[in-house]
Amino acid sequence: MEAGNDLRDVRAEPARAREVLAKAGARTDDLLAALPEPALRTPGQRAAAASATDTARSLRAAFMDAHADAVYDELTDGRTRSVRLDRLASSAATAFPGLVPTAERLATERGRPQAEKEGDEIDQGIFFRAVLNSPSAGRHLLDAMLRPTPRALGLLPGFLATGTADLGSVRLERTDGAARLTMCRTDCLNAEDDRQIDDMETAVDLALLDPSVEVCLLRGGEMIHPRYRGRRVFSAGVNLKSLHGGGISLVDFLLRRELGYIHKILRGVLVEDGATTRWSRTVEKPWIAAVDTFAIGGGAQILLVFDQVLAASDAFFSLPAAKEGIIPGASDFRLIRAVGPRLARQLILGGRRLRATEPEARLVFDEVHEGEELDIAVERSLDRLRSPAVLANRHMLNLAEESVDDFRCYMAEFALQQALRLYSPDVIDKVGGFTAAKRTAVFN
């Protein structure tokens, strides 16, 4: 009866709802604290923990369904402040006890392998699903994530002066009006983790904010991996070693990646009022990707927002979502438009590998070239997209192809479903058995 009353009360007026939510969260925390660490629990203890967390999550979902706008407005001072994902989640943990995990809980979780976590990020998924489902709060959050990061703003004067920036996993160079972003994680074939997401968003911000940049290029650098030594590689997707070790986060990786640098490539960077022309809220640039060797998983996903994609003749495109057990970002949203429903299902559900020389690959790659011809084609493409009419037309094409609200609604459901997948038994089993040697075999 208590659970039923709580479910009713969290939908009631905000003050009573907050009180009930906080008490329910404290009860669940006390129960979990009395149990051994997740990896040491007996089957009965695991069942008790699952029952308690499921009940608490039902209350959190009901609370957010009823009060999402009020919660968001309180956290952003009536939407007068732009608050990014991580700050929004941490502020919610303080202002609304029992709603999302605290920074301390997340730090504890971060130190555990994926298989030994409580799954606290699922509560963040519940929170962000409700926020993004709200037309007012969700739109405001998308805008907040389109603003340049503090790191980028701090580095901008140096980049404007020198035309270069070494961000660690991404190098940025401006030459002849072109911003050239080179992914250079030579230790892991440009597999993405939280660090690379931060570096990529910073590089994208710098490229977009530089008024002398007319067009942008993304390419992978030369690798030192024995199998690919001296060869360029575009991207191996998510870093499964980091995922297994618990280092891939929902907020700082999976959500920030989609709402941050990838969305900025598509929509542009949102600048302060008066920093651009009065006709536009964002600074946009045309984007070209050059794919060497392979674009796997996340590397394939980002190609779907580029204006032109060129590939080496021996390259391939792959979205092994079913194999890895997680959702391939916004690919389920964008790929159908690019290649059609049948091929999209073959790529995502069936794990089909699309080689650059196959006829269907022209739905992903605009041009395919042999050897050094790719370098020549890249320069030709950079020149072509400098045309003054390109920017206006890409803006209108993107507007027609993908509305902001359609993207917002997709990302709302993605926030929860991806969080659930992170802690699903099949994913835990897969990433646990996915050693570096096995991952290398995927590239063959």
Side-chain angles (χ1 to χ4, degrees):
M1 186 68 180
E2 182 180 31
N5 289 338
D6 284 351
L7 198 59
R8 180 197 63 217
D9 289 344
V10 294
R11 297 190 179 104
E13 55 88 19
R16 174 60 180 160
R18 290 173 82 151
E19 179 184 353
V20 171
L21 183 70
K23 289 181 178 179
R27 287 197 303 269
T28 303
D29 289 346
D30 289 344
L31 184 149
L32 295 177
L35 296 174
E37 292 290 303
L40 303 176
R41 291 172 188 166
T42 66
Q45 290 170 333
R46 291 194 186 99
S51 176
T53 53
D54 284 350
T55 298
R57 283 170 185 156
S58 294
L59 294 177
R60 289 167 186 141
F63 176 84
M64 286 302 296
D65 286 345
H67 305 292
D69 283 339
V71 168
Y72 188 82
D73 283 354
E74 181 170 334
L75 297 176
T76 60
D77 295 335
R79 282 174 274 151
T80 61
R81 295 189 299 115
S82 294
V83 184
R84 288 175 62 86
L85 292 166
D86 55 342
R87 291 286 298 276
L88 192 68
S90 63
S91 296
T94 302
F96 296 90
L99 181 56
V100 291
T102 63
E104 292 75 19
R105 283 184 65 97
L106 289 172
T108 300
E109 286 277 88
R110 198 68 183 267
R112 295 168 171 163
Q114 195 69 14
E116 298 177 14
K117 295 185 177 186
E118 296 280 11
D120 289 338
E121 287 177 303
I122 294 172
D123 299 310
Q124 292 181 320
I126 292 169
F127 173 77
F128 281 111
R129 179 182 66 167
V131 170
L132 288 166
N133 262 331
S134 163
S136 56
R139 275 287 199 123
H140 191 267
L141 178 56
L142 290 185
D143 279 355
M145 292 302 295
L146 285 180
R147 294 187 179 277
T149 66
R151 183 188 179 197
L153 292 174
L155 293 172
L156 183 60
F159 177 65
L160 294 178
T162 66
T164 62
D166 188 341
L167 304 171
S169 63
V170 183
R171 292 193 304 269
L172 176 62
E173 181 182 12
R174 181 188 67 239
T175 58
D176 299 324
R180 300 169 188 265
L181 287 70
T182 303
M183 297 179 287
C184 51
R185 284 293 297 275
T186 59
D187 58 323
C188 58
L189 303 177
N190 288 329
E192 288 186 308
D193 54 18
D194 286 13
R195 166 191 165 190
Q196 186 155 342
I197 298 305
D198 185 60
D199 290 346
M200 279 293 295
E201 185 168 10
T202 303
V204 168
D205 282 348
L206 292 174
L208 290 171
L209 291 171
D210 185 345
S212 63
V213 168
E214 300 171 286
V215 61
C216 308
L217 169 71
L218 179 65
R219 195 171 187 181
E222 293 185 1
M223 299 291 108
I224 59 173
H225 185 286
R227 190 174 189 87
Y228 302 97
R229 190 180 303 277
R231 291 178 58 187
R232 286 183 180 268
V233 167
F234 191 72
S235 175
V238 65
N239 190 314
L240 292 179
K241 182 178 179 181
S242 292
L243 178 58
H244 170 56
I248 297 297
S249 62
L250 177 70
V251 170
D252 291 327
F253 183 97
L254 295 163
L255 291 180
R256 178 182 177 181
R257 182 175 183 274
E258 300 297 333
L259 301 183
Y261 88 83
I262 297 178
H263 200 211
K264 286 175 175 176
I265 290 173
L266 181 71
R267 301 285 181 196
V269 64
L270 184 62
V271 295
E272 296 295 334
D273 294 339
T276 185
T277 70
R278 63 193 175 105
W279 306 115
S280 176
R281 300 170 66 237
T282 58
V283 176
E284 301 179 37
K285 306 282 170 71
W287 285 85
I288 299 165
V291 179
D292 299 273
T293 312
F294 49 71
I296 296 175
Q301 296 165 26
I302 61 178
L303 300 180
L304 302 176
V305 297
F306 278 75
D307 300 297
Q308 192 158 40
V309 181
L310 285 66
S313 59
D314 61 348
F316 67 85
F317 174 101
S318 174
L319 285 165
K323 190 175 187 68
E324 295 170 355
I326 56 178
I327 299 168
S331 296
D332 292 337
F333 176 59
R334 296 183 173 122
L335 191 63
I336 287 178
R337 294 198 305 268
V339 305
R342 291 268 53 87
L343 183 54
R345 283 169 169 76
Q346 291 169 23
L347 291 164
I348 294 174
L349 305 182
R352 175 177 171 181
R353 179 178 295 181
L354 193 62
R355 299 193 176 278
T357 52
E358 295 182 67
E360 296 95 329
R362 291 308 176 94
L363 297 170
V364 174
F365 302 129
D366 297 286
E367 298 179 21
V368 178
H369 297 277
E370 300 279 351
E372 294 181 357
E373 293 179 5
L374 179 60
D375 296 333
I376 299 170
V378 166
E379 299 306 316
R380 187 167 58 238
S381 184
L382 288 170
D383 288 339
R384 184 186 308 124
L385 292 192
R386 294 174 196 269
S387 168
V390 165
L391 202 56
N393 278 287
R394 84 176 291 272
H395 176 82
M396 298 308 295
L397 286 166
N398 288 336
L399 183 65
E401 186 176 32
E402 180 177 313
S403 78
V404 173
D405 280 330
D406 284 347
F407 175 67
R408 174 182 58 78
C409 291
Y410 175 90
M411 289 306 303
E413 191 62 21
F414 172 84
L416 178 59
Q417 295 302 323
Q418 188 72 295
L420 293 170
R421 291 308 304 153
L422 281 177
Y423 296 96
S424 297
D426 63 306
V427 173
I428 300 298
D429 290 342
K430 284 172 183 174
V431 298
F434 223 126
T435 64
K438 288 181 180 178
R439 184 63 195 259
T440 299
V442 175
F443 305 149
N444 297 336

